[in-house]
């Protein structure tokens, strides 16, 4: 299995995040990606290739132009006001339904307008890293089309919380959505996105909510009890043309492999029934038992089982990296999933 990776992704390094009212070290560190890369090399998963840079017009197939202009320039706009350049930017005010939709002219007004949380700082290198992450996903899609073999897009920062016109949850550009759109634009085929990150992929869901060419299926912590709180309930199943093409499977905190696997199998069954041209797997390993910000109980061994189960998907698969914050085990857990997938696919497909 080939891996796509760009070093530029490592540049985004906020010193801290606002976490439940306290400043704590940023969980979504560049070390995460480095450790995954090292484990891929150590276990000889396959070749590692660098992406070319995605063009702005491809980003516009998923994100609104005003949002892209905002996220690309907000940090330099702020620096122009005379602030220090080693600081991180974060919003502190948001709009509720019923309030004005006029886009504010001020930096902090814009930050609130285009975001949904305060825990996702923007630094001088955020745009470069986010664009490199989107490039990684898009190049992964191209490679899948060209070589017709499973590809792993080692993306960082993650993407599944980013919507067409807002960021949050450590995500700025929706890598999985960009890859899916790339596959659709190139082939006219349909795509299923299977999101198995611990947190609901609210951004991906919202991007495809009214479309029937993309089936979005997500297994995640119940939003009654877990971030992002306002998205991911079972009754969210798509709207307009997309009604029935979003499927949410929320699970209780404390869920272990034996309770997880029936949900995983029904998710895969729904996807196989849809018969998509391609499957994009939003791969988060924050379902791990020792993840510092999550409450599922999958063991490192369970990730081999997870990879083997995913191999029952009947369409070509692009893996796109999302979350996972237990840095000591992140490489092991990701490569366990990918190598078990590769081994099982070899046995059942060719
Ligand atoms: C990103 B991804 C929880 C703090 C939550 C944001 C979590 C974003 C997760 N107490 N901070 O889905 O892994
Ligand atoms: Zn997550």
């Amino acid at each position: 299995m080939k891996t796509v990776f760009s070093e530029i992704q490592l540049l985004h390094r906020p010193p801290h995040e606002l976490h439940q009212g306290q400043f704590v070290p940023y969980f979504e560190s560049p070390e995460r990606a480095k450790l995954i890369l090292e484990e891929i090399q150590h276990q000889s998963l396959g070749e590692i290739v660098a992406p070319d840079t995605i063009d702005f017009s491809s980003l516009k197939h998923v994100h609104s132009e005003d949002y892209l202009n905002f996220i690309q320039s907000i940090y330099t706009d702020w620096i122009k006001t005379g602030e220090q350049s080693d600081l991180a930017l974060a919003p502190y005010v948001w709009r509720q339904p019923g309030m004005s939709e006029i886009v504010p002219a001020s930096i902090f007004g814009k930050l609130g307008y285009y975001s949904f949380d305060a825990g996702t700082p923007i630094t001088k290198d955020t745009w470069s890293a986010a664009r490199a992450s989107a490039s990684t996903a898009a190049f992964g899609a191209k490679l899948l089309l060209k070589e017709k073999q499973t590809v792993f897009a080692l993306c960082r920062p993650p993407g599944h919380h980013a919507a067409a016109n807002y960021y949050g949850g450590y995500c700025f550009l929706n890598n999985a959505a960009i890859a899916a759109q790339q596959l659709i634009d190139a082939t006219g085929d349909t795509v299923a996105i299977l999101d198995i990150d611990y947190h609901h992929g609210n951004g991906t869901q919202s991007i495809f909510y009214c479309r029937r060419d993309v089936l979005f299926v997500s297994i995640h912590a119940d939003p009654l009890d877990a971030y992002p709180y306002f998205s991911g309930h079972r009754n969210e199943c798509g709207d307009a043309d997309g009604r029935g093409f979003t499927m949410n499977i929320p699970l209780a905190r404390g869920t272990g492999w034996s309770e997880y696997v029936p949900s995983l199998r029904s998710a895969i069954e729904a996807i196989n029934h849809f018969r998509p041209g391609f499957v994009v797997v939003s791969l988060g390993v924050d379902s791990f038992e020792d993840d510092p910000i999550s409450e599922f109980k999958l063991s490192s061994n369970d990730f081999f089982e997870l990879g083997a189960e995913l191999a029952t998907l009947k369409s070509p698969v692009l893996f796109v990296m999302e979350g996972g914050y237990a840095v000591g085990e992140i490489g092991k857990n990701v490569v366990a999933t990918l190598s078990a997938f590769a081994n099982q696919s070899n046995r059942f497909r060719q």
Side-chain angles (χ1 to χ4, degrees), residues 170-228:
Y170 314 147
C171 303
F172 306 93
L173 298 173
N174 195 310
N175 308 314
I178 289 163
Q181 189 61 49
Q182 192 93 12
L183 292 166
I184 290 167
D185 292 343
T187 65
D189 227 326
T190 58
V191 173
I193 300 176
L194 174 58
D195 189 325
I196 54 173
D197 186 278
Y198 174 83
H199 305 94
H200 181 244
N202 61 289
T204 315
Q205 169 170 304
S206 97
I207 288 164
F208 298 116
Y209 207 60
C210 297
R211 287 169 53 172
R212 57 196 305 128
D213 58 339
V214 177
L215 172 67
F216 176 72
V217 181
S218 180
I219 304 171
H220 50 268
D222 192 331
L224 281 175
D225 190 36
Y227 185 95

Side-chain angles (χ1 to χ4, degrees), residues 21-22 30 81 111 113 166 195 206 289 325:
Q22 311 295 319
T81 70
L111 283 164
Y113 185 87
Y166 55 86
D195 189 325
S206 97
E289 56 190 351
Y325 307 96

Side-chain angles (χ1 to χ4, degrees), residues 6 8-14 53-60 63-76 89 121-135 156-157 167 171-175 178:
S6 163
I8 301 166
Q9 298 181 109
L10 304 176
L11 296 175
H12 173 64
R13 185 187 280 275
T53 302
I54 190 168
D55 37 69
F56 206 77
S57 65
S58 301
L59 293 175
K60 281 200 283 184
H63 294 281
S64 71
E65 192 165 3
D66 63 320
Y67 172 70
L68 290 169
N69 290 334
F70 156 80
I71 199 78
Q72 179 172 218
S73 62
I74 192 69
Y75 191 86
T76 43
L89 266 176
I122 294 177
T123 67
K124 66 177 177 12
D125 296 313
T126 299
W127 165 251
S128 312
R131 186 181 50 189
S133 192
S135 301
R156 181 276 162 186
Y167 74 95
C171 303
F172 306 93
L173 298 173
N174 195 310
N175 308 314
I178 289 163

Side-chain angles (χ1 to χ4, degrees), residues 17 19-20 117 160-161 169-170 197 199 227 286 293 323-325:
E17 66 178 86
H19 177 75
Q20 301 173 353
D117 82 7
H160 73 152
H161 296 299
Y170 314 147
D197 186 278
H199 305 94
Y227 185 95
D286 40 10
I293 63 168
Y325 307 96

Side-chain angles (χ1 to χ4, degrees), residues 171-326:
C171 303
F172 306 93
L173 298 173
N174 195 310
N175 308 314
I178 289 163
Q181 189 61 49
Q182 192 93 12
L183 292 166
I184 290 167
D185 292 343
T187 65
D189 227 326
T190 58
V191 173
I193 300 176
L194 174 58
D195 189 325
I196 54 173
D197 186 278
Y198 174 83
H199 305 94
H200 181 244
N202 61 289
T204 315
Q205 169 170 304
S206 97
I207 288 164
F208 298 116
Y209 207 60
C210 297
R211 287 169 53 172
R212 57 196 305 128
D213 58 339
V214 177
L215 172 67
F216 176 72
V217 181
S218 180
I219 304 171
H220 50 268
D222 192 331
L224 281 175
D225 190 36
Y227 185 95
Y229 305 111
F230 307 109
S231 187
H233 294 286
R234 206 176 278 278
N235 69 351
E236 297 161 28
C237 33
D239 203 358
D241 278 357
R243 186 165 293 279
F245 294 86
T246 289
M247 178 178 176
N248 282 304
I249 309 177
L251 298 174
R253 62 167 58 217
T255 290
W257 179 248
S258 63
E259 304 94 71
Y260 191 91
V261 74
S263 298
L264 181 63
R265 287 184 182 158
S266 58
I268 291 172
E269 193 181 299
I271 290 171
N272 284 340
H273 183 254
F274 179 65
R275 298 176 134 270
F278 307 92
V279 178
V280 174
V281 174
S282 266
L283 176 62
V285 292
D286 40 10
S287 48
F288 180 51
E289 56 190 351
D290 292 332
D291 194 273
I293 63 168
S294 312
E295 306 292 339
F296 284 174
K297 297 275 167 274
L298 269 56
S299 70
S300 286
N301 269 331
D302 295 332
F303 286 98
F304 286 102
E305 302 292 329
L306 173 64
E309 292 289 334
L310 292 172
T312 63
L313 285 163
K314 290 183 179 146
S315 313
V317 172
L318 171 67
F319 285 95
V320 173
M321 193 65 212
E322 303 284 358
Y325 307 96

